[in-house]
Amino acid sequence: MAEELVHYEVRRGIATITLDSPHNRNALSRQLRAELTAHLDAAAADDSVRVLVISHTGPVFCSGMDLKEAGGASADRQGVNEFPAILERLWTSPKPVVARLAGPARAGGVGLVAACDIAVAVDTATFAFSEVRIGVVPAVISVTVLPRLLPRAAHELFLTGETFTAPRAAAIGLINSAVPADGLDAEVTRYTDMLALGAPGALAATKRMLREPRSNDLGGVFADMLELSARHFGGPEGQEGIAAFVGKRKPSWVPTGD
């Protein structure tokens, strides 16, 4: 049996999913895709999990699709056909997802980063949409990447395939912060600790709200948002949160212990 390429651990409500295929720079091989999908499903089904962290071993976060597997395969047998389902799981996860990058990301790996709600990278990490340089199109990852990037930057970087730095990735909206290597885990923990303070239902509803397009009917949008707000103010989580605030205590959903 092949060794596991993606590990899964849950502690204090944080599910850490670790890509562990450094021999091929954590490329999205058939096995890695299957294990990543299984762990994302496990985290979604576990009520004790409040936040997901996508991490990695080795010097590279993810180099994109496994090109050795892609070579010689017909269009309908390419591994990229399975990739949208992975990106969609991350993008639509009712639980917040944080990407932890201790190294570079390329192509599909950048798609993974963009699909997460929050991304933190070491300031030495680099990124590139390298697809056009090998004759393919960054089509699938554009679904998660384009909503993050400034339009001018998207045109430039998708068309040129140029490598860019973590500070620039933060400046154009791809990641949230670029930090020194010795501060990476502290920055990830800062975000996961904050996310764990949010009520699960409120976080899920807020993620849905952020994803949904809004019409030009301002009155209709206000009406929809008023209904959403009132429903959560009057719901069990809202009432518990208000009671906790008044009672100067932590709400019941805040994780405690291991």
Side-chain angles (χ1 to χ4, degrees):
M1 181 177 293
E3 291 186 7
E4 183 180 70
L5 298 184
V6 184
H7 309 307
Y8 181 74
E9 179 186 29
V10 179
R11 291 195 61 192
R12 295 188 65 247
I14 311 298
T16 301
I17 299 175
T18 305
L19 310 183
D20 185 20
S21 185
H23 70 280
N24 66 353
R25 301 185 302 165
N26 289 317
L28 295 161
S29 64
R30 184 179 301 107
Q31 181 184 344
L32 188 143
R33 294 192 307 270
E35 292 179 11
L36 176 57
T37 298
H39 292 322
L40 290 173
D41 288 346
D46 186 346
D47 289 340
S48 72
V49 171
R50 301 291 310 288
V51 181
L52 283 67
V53 174
I54 309 298
S55 187
H56 66 104
T57 65
V60 176
F61 174 74
C62 178
S63 59
M65 298 306 299
D66 190 327
L67 298 182
K68 290 183 178 179
E69 289 184 354
S74 61
D76 61 348
R77 296 179 64 83
Q78 289 290 339
V80 72
N81 293 329
E82 301 169 6
F83 197 38
I86 293 174
L87 296 180
E88 186 172 2
R89 278 175 170 83
L90 291 168
W91 190 264
T92 64
S93 166
K95 304 171 184 184
V97 187
V98 178
R100 173 194 175 276
L101 288 81
R106 296 289 186 270
V110 186
L112 288 178
V113 173
C116 297
D117 299 291
I118 291 172
V120 178
V122 294
D123 53 13
T124 55
T126 59
F127 303 82
F129 303 105
S130 50
E131 287 88 344
V132 294
R133 296 194 178 190
I134 61 167
V136 298
V137 177
V140 170
I141 67 168
S142 72
V143 177
T144 57
V145 171
L146 291 183
R148 306 293 190 200
L149 297 193
L150 297 173
R152 280 289 186 186
H155 280 247
E156 173 196 345
L157 298 170
F158 270 48
L159 292 171
T160 65
E162 180 184 24
T163 299
F164 56 102
T165 65
R168 188 175 185 203
I172 63 177
L174 179 63
I175 65 174
N176 295 82
S177 59
V179 298
D182 60 4
L184 178 62
D185 289 330
E187 181 75 342
V188 170
T189 298
R190 185 175 75 87
Y191 278 114
T192 57
D193 284 351
M194 289 191 292
L195 292 167
L197 296 177
L203 287 169
T206 300
K207 284 197 61 171
R208 284 195 302 272
M209 180 191 70
L210 289 168
R211 291 195 306 267
E212 292 172 353
R214 296 192 173 182
S215 72
N216 293 323
D217 175 12
L218 192 61
V221 173
F222 270 124
D224 290 342
M225 293 302 101
L226 175 58
E227 189 278 330
L228 176 63
S229 182
R231 175 158 33 99
H232 281 270
F233 263 99
E237 284 185 347
Q239 291 299 299
E240 163 63 10
I242 292 168
F245 178 81
V246 172
K248 298 182 179 180
R249 60 173 175 82
K250 292 182 179 180
S252 58
W253 57 74
V254 175
T256 58
D258 291 332

